[in-house]
Amino acid sequence: MTQHIAHILPFPSVGGVEIAALRLMEGLEGGGFHNTAFCLRDAGGVSRLFAEAGFETSEYDDVEPSYRHPRAYWQNALQLAREFRRREVSLVHCQDVLAAHCLGLAGRLAGVPVVCHVRSQRPDISRRDAGFL
């Protein structure tokens, strides 16, 4: 059975995170894995990078998590969770802490495991932000 991995890319332009994600996806594709790059809406260069490499892409909205005004955050998470279920995603792979911070909840709501791949040290995560992780 093929495992479908949703790779969450949290930045609006192509950089090291995106190149590393592309290499990972190229290494996994076909070996029992199917990959989709979830890119920020209006991050055309990022979407184009993955599409030109032959990968499915999907867009999502960047909504800041909020305890005081949670409605937009929850609505965005629910919408993305529905998309994960529709695509039969079996793992959500957050590329960097920012992706997990903003979209980890969507994976949990979809009932699939969420992992976060961090390429740098992040010892300065505030208590507020850690709650969303």
Side-chain angles (χ1 to χ4, degrees), residues 58 80-89:
S58 184
L80 194 55
R82 282 191 294 274
E83 183 66 9
F84 291 158
R85 285 191 299 270
R86 184 186 75 77
R87 290 176 178 264
E88 298 180 352
V89 166

Side-chain angles (χ1 to χ4, degrees), residues 4-5 7 9 25 29 34-39 47 50-59 83 86-87 89:
H4 188 173
I5 304 173
H7 298 270
L9 298 143
M25 290 167 67
E29 189 70 17
H34 176 71
N35 300 276
T36 301
F38 282 77
C39 308
S47 292
F50 290 94
E52 288 174 359
F55 292 101
E56 282 182 18
T57 63
S58 184
E59 293 183 331
E83 183 66 9
R86 184 186 75 77
R87 290 176 178 264
V89 166

Side-chain angles (χ1 to χ4, degrees), residues 1-14:
M1 181 175 145
T2 300
Q3 300 294 308
H4 188 173
I5 304 173
H7 298 270
I8 310 300
L9 298 143
F11 301 112
S13 59
V14 175

Side-chain angles (χ1 to χ4, degrees), residues 19-74:
I19 299 301
L22 179 60
R23 289 183 180 146
L24 177 65
M25 290 167 67
E26 288 171 338
L28 290 171
E29 189 70 17
F33 298 97
H34 176 71
N35 300 276
T36 301
F38 282 77
C39 308
L40 286 171
R41 191 171 313 284
D42 300 323
V46 177
S47 292
R48 221 173 4 267
L49 173 72
F50 290 94
E52 288 174 359
F55 292 101
E56 282 182 18
T57 63
S58 184
E59 293 183 331
Y60 69 90
D61 293 312
D62 185 21
V63 177
E64 178 71 23
S66 173
Y67 288 114
R68 290 176 145 201
H69 306 285
R71 174 177 246 153
Y73 175 64
W74 273 94

